[in-house]
Amino acid sequence: MEVLLRGGPGDGQVVPGGGETVAWRACLYEITTEFAPRGGRDLRVYRHRLDCCENYGRGADDRCE
């Protein structure tokens, strides 16, 4: 399954994934109830979690790793 990333450094990327979260590079994206059309199909949208990016000190306190 492929998903669409919204927000953060991966905005607009279509990546393989599924489940509650998707990791893209050093950032975490969470599932939403939204779908967006891309390439003739509807993809599930995953939103960026700002507090889980490497630049923002992601760590075990917020279960980002």
Side-chain angles (χ1 to χ4, degrees):
M1 177 170 92
E2 290 185 317
V3 301
L4 177 64
L5 305 180
R6 290 290 167 121
D11 189 48
Q13 297 290 323
V14 174
V15 299
E20 294 297 314
T21 60
V22 170
W24 183 82
R25 296 195 181 177
C27 291
L28 189 66
Y29 289 77
E30 292 182 317
I31 194 169
T32 68
T33 58
E34 301 171 53
F35 286 87
R38 181 62 63 100
R41 57 198 166 129
D42 288 336
L43 299 178
R44 173 75 73 169
V45 174
Y46 280 67
R47 290 263 176 219
H48 179 242
R49 279 203 45 194
L50 183 63
D51 60 329
C52 286
C53 263
E54 190 173 77
N55 296 339
Y56 295 95
R58 58 179 265 235
D61 292 344
D62 198 24
R63 299 189 332 239
C64 296
E65 295 192 49

